Structures are given as C-alpha cells and as structure tokens.
Amino acid sequence: MAFRVRVVPLAILASIGLLGIKLGDLSSIMLATSSARAQAAAPQAVAAPTAPTAATPAPATAATPAAPGAPATEEKAAAIDPLSMSPSEIDLLQKLAERRAELDKRAADLSSREILLQAAEKRVDEKIAKLAALEKDIDDIVEKQNQETEQRTKSLVKIYETMSPKDAARIFEQLDMGVLLAVVEHMKERNAAPILAAMDPAKARTVTQALAERRDRRVKADNSAKTPAKP
C-alpha cells in the first residue's frame, strides 16, 4: 500500500514533465515555421516593385512624332520641365506672362476707343448733315425773301416812274435811306435824274454819295470773286 502511494506521485510528475517537453517542442516548431514563412515572404515583397519596371513599356510621347500643324509654342511648352528651370528662368516667364497680359489689356482698350471714335464720328456726320440741311433751308428762305423784296421794289419803281418828278421827289425825301437807295438803283437813269433834281439838295447829295459807295463795294466784291485765290 505504501509502494502504491509513492508510485502515483512519480507517475504524475513524469506525465507533467513529458507534457512540458511536448509543449516546448510544439512552440519551437511553430516559431520556426512562422520565421520561415516571414523569410520566404520578404524577398517577394522586395522584388514586387521591380517586376513591373522590367515590363513597363517606354513612354509613348518620346517616340510619338508631333501632330502636323501643331503650334511651335505648344511643343516648346511641352518640352519645358518646370522642375528643371532655374529661379531666373521662372521669373522671366512670369514677367513675360505679365507683359502679355498688359499688351492684351492695351489691345482691348484700343479696340474700345476705336468703337467710341467711330460712334462719335457717326454722330458728328449726322450733325453735319443736319446743319447742311438747315443751311439749305435758310438759304431758300433768304432767297425767297430777296425775290419778294425785289418784286416789291420793282412795283414801287413802276409807281414812281409814272408820277411826276416833283411828286416823286417829295415822297423820296420821306423814305428810309435803304428803301430809297434800292428804288433809285432799280430805276432808269433818265427817270431817276429828274426826281433827284427836284429833291432837297442836301438829301439828293446824300443819296448820290450813298449810291456811289454801294456801287464801289459791289464792283470790288465782283473783282474779288473773279480773282483766283493765291496758293
């Protein structure tokens, strides 16, 4: 009975020891397996980026010719790499862009001014046309008035020519100087002379002098009109 009691603890201890050994071996095997898997996966992860590199084709733009008719500026702009430009070149490009914008603004301003000038010229032409039409109307009115005055003067001349020189002289002395001169100028000399002789000498002298001055001015005006202007 005493022997059985001693054997049982020993058997239990032995079983526990064997179980510990087995568990240790199992953990070692699992660690070795995971380490092997990690080592096997590491080369694939490193080599993965390099595989597409060998299969990647060359850029098509390097061998593709430019389309016919494409602007030269676009080809130059496409050939410029902004990362390879120096600060001075970037500054120069910025200044050129600012200059381009300024020139575009000036061109727009000039176009607007040209439109305004064309509109102003159109308004001026319209005003000139209106003034020309108004001047023509005024000339027509003046001409009509002159014709009417001419007709009235001729009617007065006929009346005074039928009167006696003494009666006509008495009326002439009371007429306005402008009307009197117009009537005398339209009368024939043989009819005007007796009337002037019958008038007051001072009045007749004034009329004669005014007639002479008017005739001199008329002759000078006619001569000036006939003489060509000097260059």
Side-chain angles (χ1 to χ4, degrees):
M1 189 69 172
F3 178 78
R4 289 180 181 177
V5 172
R6 292 178 181 176
V7 171
V8 171
L10 291 174
I12 293 171
L13 291 174
S15 300
I16 293 171
L18 291 172
L19 181 61
I21 293 170
K22 291 181 178 180
L23 290 174
D25 294 339
L26 180 60
S27 62
S28 298
I29 292 170
M30 292 176 65
L31 289 175
T33 303
S34 62
S35 177
R37 289 179 178 177
Q39 290 178 358
Q44 294 177 358
V46 173
T50 59
T53 305
T56 302
T61 56
T64 303
T73 54
E74 294 183 1
E75 295 180 358
K76 292 182 179 179
I80 295 175
D81 186 6
L83 299 178
S84 64
M85 296 174 64
S86 64
S88 60
E89 292 175 342
I90 295 175
D91 183 59
L92 178 60
L93 287 178
Q94 291 177 350
K95 290 181 178 179
L96 290 175
E98 293 175 357
R99 181 62 176 172
R100 174 81 175 272
E102 182 180 357
L103 292 176
D104 292 341
K105 184 177 181 299
R106 289 185 179 180
D109 293 340
L110 290 175
S111 179
S112 300
R113 291 181 182 179
E114 185 177 358
I115 294 173
L116 292 175
L117 286 175
Q118 290 177 355
E121 289 179 356
K122 183 178 180 181
R123 289 195 297 269
V124 170
D125 293 339
E126 291 176 353
K127 289 183 178 180
I128 291 174
K130 290 181 180 179
L131 289 175
L134 181 60
E135 184 179 2
K136 185 177 182 302
D137 293 340
I138 293 173
D139 292 339
D140 293 340
I141 293 172
V142 171
E143 182 66 21
K144 184 178 180 181
Q145 290 179 349
N146 291 335
Q147 291 177 0
E148 292 176 355
T149 303
E150 185 78 10
Q151 293 295 328
R152 286 196 300 268
T153 303
K154 289 181 179 180
S155 298
L156 290 174
V157 168
K158 290 181 179 180
I159 292 173
Y160 293 134
E161 286 180 345
T162 58
M163 295 174 62
S164 63
K166 187 176 182 180
D167 293 337
R170 187 170 57 254
I171 296 173
F172 277 14
E173 289 177 356
Q174 297 176 1
L175 290 177
D176 181 74
M177 183 60 69
V179 177
L180 178 57
L181 293 176
V183 171
V184 173
E185 282 183 338
H186 285 79
M187 292 180 68
K188 296 178 181 179
E189 292 182 359
R190 67 174 182 271
N191 295 327
I195 297 174
L196 290 175
M199 290 176 59
D200 180 71
K203 185 72 172 181
R205 184 170 56 253
T206 303
V207 172
T208 303
Q209 185 177 357
L211 287 172
E213 291 176 357
R214 291 185 65 169
R215 288 173 181 174
D216 290 340
R217 287 196 298 268
R218 188 179 296 112
V219 171
K220 290 180 181 179
D222 293 340
N223 293 333
S224 299
K226 294 178 180 179
T227 303
K230 295 182 180 180

